[in-house]
Amino acid sequence: MRRSLLTALAACACAGALTGCQSWADIRDGVVQPVNQLVHKSYPRAIRSGELEAVMVLYRPGTALAERERREMAALLGRFTSVEHVECVIRDAMAEPDGGERVVTLVDLRVDGTTPEGDRLTLTRSRRLVAGRRADGGEGWELVDAETIGPDAEGRTSAPRFTDEATSRGLTFDNRCRGVIARDGSTQPYHAGSGLAVGDVDGDGHDDILLVGSGDLRLFRNDGTGRFADETAARGVITPETGICRMGVFGDVDGDGDADLFVGVIEGPNLLFRNEGSGRFERVPEAESGLRSSGDTTTACLFDPDGDGDLDLYVGSGGNLHRNTPDPIYDARNGAANQLFENLGDGTFRDVTDAAGVGDVGWTLAVTTVDYDADGDTDLFVANDFGWDSLYRNDGGLQFTEVAREVGIAHRGSSMSAAFDDLDGDGDADLFISGMASNTAWMVEQESFPLPAPWPIALLFRGQIVSIMREMFWGNRTYVNRGDGTFEEVSPTAGSRDAGWGWAAVPIDFDDDGRVDVYNVDGFISNVDPDDL
């Protein structure tokens, strides 16, 4: 009976889909390809041309618009002397009811450039763009009409500028890619990105820098003038022969007043280097330190959750995607368990993960700590690439309770990094999380989009699946602390949500105006098509 009922429901859903929806092939050819032609080819091509008017091509009024709007366009172009960054975020797209000959796309446009007065100007505008087949009968699509929706928003600043001086200051580094073992036993390349740690390793009052690549560690000593020299070998920092180095963190784990070093590794044991006091390090074997590696370490932090004056270690674990797959991708709980190691006071550790209740098994990419509820102890936030994020409230005595849903910051997937700071200036800790804002997320809203689920589930639960995918494509998230231990997500109104594929963010008051800014690193591997954004 139950099987018959499910079969009947699936048949009804399938019939509705076939009678009320276009096929995915039709939608792909009639909607997706025209939008990609317009936004992912014509627009980047205009950007690369270097001509200001060509860069602003999507702002240009359509052929049917009034001369007054053309004059307004000319005035808009006159506000910029140069353009440094442009972006086009697709909100929605649909075919007009004319046999698939015209496609309407709703987009948010942003241009960052310089004014004739030398100020920085950011202009954002929402537009309704109409693409049609080329008037000359050729292959492809072109912009045939455009309309501005709502008022422009702009920001002007005379903020300081930055220049890249890494090479001139001696910071040269090649992030070599090492291979990992796939499920079939083969060795596959692993492009894991690079890590960074800053600390005064020799006690001279100047910050030194550790750069972490998948196949290399490099320690650069600051000579006091802001110039750096590679002293990796001289300082005893040794890259392991196997494994993928993912991150590093400095901290005085043995209480002798100098900066020791922890390095997290995938496909190999983690590394603990004890500072001998002069900035030279000695590796401490796991058998001596008490640390035990999961083999999937992606991140770690040193903090004092029990308030005893020494630094404990929390290690986050992700996974090797060549060997394992997040299952299910939207709520994965099959990652290696995160670990909490209590410092015994002498730089050795014991594993207290289970007793503390912090063995998160999502695919963790970042961890950060703060006293978010102002009760005098340090709490712990875990950002998961796959699976729900976790906020562990410190209840004292190395006991934690997971409260992400309770306080309003529960979110599933695509969390790349996290940082606490007082973003609104009211004295409590707010939270910024970098995430994936995909510029193709609009496609999942299209009829008949092939969802990543077995067809009976995709038919019966399409709405729920699309909602989950929309959540995973949300982008950056900014949570404001209400002051009572709960949070409100404000990224759409704060203007921080859409920033590409976010990887990491650092809160910093870079213009010394007393307000906390956020520097967010983003980007992803581009297609081989040179016109693809």
Side-chain angles (χ1 to χ4, degrees):
M1 173 69 76
R2 184 176 181 181
R3 179 175 298 177
S4 299
L5 178 59
L6 288 175
T7 302
L9 287 172
C12 291
C14 185
L18 293 175
T19 58
C21 303
Q22 292 178 282
S23 71
W24 173 241
D26 291 338
I27 293 174
R28 183 187 60 228
D29 295 342
V31 178
V32 174
Q33 290 182 359
V35 172
N36 285 336
Q37 171 73 32
L38 179 66
V39 176
H40 292 280
K41 292 183 179 292
S42 301
Y43 196 38
R45 191 175 299 126
I47 294 167
R48 288 198 314 279
S49 71
E51 297 180 5
L52 183 57
E53 185 174 355
V55 168
M56 306 287 287
V57 63
L58 294 187
Y59 285 84
R60 182 181 299 141
T63 56
L65 300 186
E67 182 63 28
R68 178 180 61 83
E69 295 194 46
R70 298 183 188 280
R71 291 197 299 270
E72 290 178 357
M73 180 65 197
L76 174 68
L77 291 173
R79 299 172 67 181
F80 293 92
T81 55
S82 65
V83 169
E84 299 169 0
H85 173 76
V86 290
E87 136 183 331
C88 177
V89 177
I90 305 169
R91 295 297 180 200
D92 198 6
M94 68 291 290
E96 287 192 335
D98 60 357
E101 295 300 314
R102 288 159 61 98
V103 176
V104 178
T105 308
L106 304 180
V107 300
D108 291 337
L109 303 174
R110 168 175 171 160
V111 177
D112 295 285
T114 304
T115 69
E117 297 78 23
D119 294 336
R120 299 288 303 279
L121 176 64
T122 296
L123 179 71
T124 57
R125 172 178 288 187
S126 296
R127 297 277 274 169
R128 178 181 179 271
L129 308 175
V130 181
R133 296 194 181 276
R134 289 176 51 178
D136 61 7
E139 292 293 327
W141 300 72
E142 63 183 354
L143 181 66
V144 298
D145 205 351
E147 176 186 4
T148 298
I149 305 172
D152 290 347
E154 69 172 68
R156 186 186 294 259
T157 178
S158 56
R161 297 174 179 269
F162 294 86
T163 58
D164 182 357
E165 298 183 355
T167 300
S168 64
R169 291 184 179 273
L171 290 168
T172 57
F173 182 68
D174 181 16
N175 182 12
R176 298 183 293 111
C177 174
R178 273 186 176 174
V180 294
I181 305 302
R183 59 172 57 91
D184 62 1
S186 63
T187 300
Q188 299 293 330
Y190 191 83
H191 300 277
S194 55
L196 167 73
V198 177
D200 180 8
V201 302
D202 54 2
D204 64 355
H206 304 291
D207 285 334
D208 309 300
I209 295 177
L210 177 80
L211 295 179
V212 182
S214 63
D216 206 1
L217 297 173
R218 286 284 169 237
L219 178 61
F220 294 88
R221 179 182 175 272
N222 188 335
D223 67 2
T225 68
R227 296 186 60 81
F228 295 83
D230 184 345
E231 299 187 0
T232 309
R235 299 283 171 176
V237 176
I238 302 171
T239 302
E241 295 182 359
T242 60
I244 304 295
C245 300
R246 285 300 304 269
M247 54 74 58
V249 59
F250 288 109
D252 183 10
V253 300
D254 55 4
D256 63 355
D258 50 37
D260 307 303
L261 173 63
F262 174 82
V263 176
V265 180
I266 286 179
E267 296 278 315
N270 295 326
L271 309 176
L272 179 64
F273 295 96
R274 180 186 295 121
N275 193 326
E276 296 179 345
S278 59
R280 180 171 175 80
F281 293 89
E282 178 184 5
R283 182 178 174 184
V284 183
E286 284 194 341
E288 178 182 336
S289 69
L291 301 176
R292 297 293 181 268
S293 301
S294 69
D296 286 318
T297 298
T298 54
T299 184
C301 66
L302 291 163
F303 71 127
D304 185 15
D306 51 3
D308 63 356
D310 51 37
L311 293 175
D312 306 309
L313 176 66
Y314 188 77
V315 180
S317 296
N320 173 2
L321 288 169
H322 290 289
R323 188 182 63 232
N324 195 14
T325 302
D327 185 25
I329 192 169
Y330 59 86
D331 190 17
R333 307 302 296 167
N334 66 331
N338 295 347
Q339 301 161 293
L340 177 62
F341 294 97
E342 180 189 8
N343 194 326
L344 300 180
D346 58 359
T348 64
F349 297 84
R350 66 176 177 183
D351 190 335
V352 294
T353 307
D354 293 340
V358 292
D360 198 289
V361 289
W363 290 56
T364 300
L365 282 184
V367 295
T368 187
T369 64
V370 77
D371 181 9
Y372 82 91
D373 52 2
D375 65 351
D377 51 32
T378 306
D379 310 297
L380 173 68
F381 179 79
V382 175
N384 287 325
D385 188 8
F386 304 102
W388 292 89
D389 293 339
S390 299
L391 177 63
Y392 292 102
R393 184 188 65 215
N394 192 335
D395 296 327
L398 285 179
Q399 298 291 312
F400 293 82
T401 301
E402 204 289 305
V403 295
R405 288 174 176 79
E406 177 182 328
V407 305
I409 61 174
H411 188 94
R412 67 180 111 206
S414 301
S415 295
M416 308 297 181
S417 78
F420 284 102
D421 212 314
D422 184 9
L423 301 178
D424 56 3
D426 64 354
D428 49 33
D430 310 305
L431 176 61
F432 187 94
I433 300 172
S434 294
M436 179 181 66
S438 171
N439 207 18
T440 58
W442 60 276
M443 287 196 299
V444 305
E445 308 281 354
Q446 301 295 311
E447 295 177 350
S448 302
F449 179 83
L451 298 176
W455 71 264
I457 297 176
L459 287 173
L460 293 171
F461 302 103
R462 185 175 189 85
Q464 295 92 320
I465 296 173
V466 169
S467 177
I468 290 171
M469 296 180 69
R470 190 186 305 117
E471 182 179 2
M472 297 183 71
F473 293 149
W474 179 255
N476 298 329
R477 306 192 305 282
T478 304
Y479 294 99
V480 171
N481 194 324
R482 294 190 178 104
D484 60 357
T486 65
F487 293 82
E488 177 185 1
E489 213 274 291
V490 298
S491 58
T493 56
S496 57
R497 182 168 74 90
D498 288 313
W501 197 304
W503 288 109
V506 178
I508 182 174
D509 180 10
F510 79 96
D511 53 1
D512 291 326
D513 65 354
R515 296 188 295 268
V516 178
D517 311 298
V518 177
Y519 181 72
N520 187 66
V521 179
D522 67 358
F524 197 60
I525 300 171
S526 178
N527 200 329
V528 294
D529 186 343
D531 292 330
D532 187 6
L533 286 177

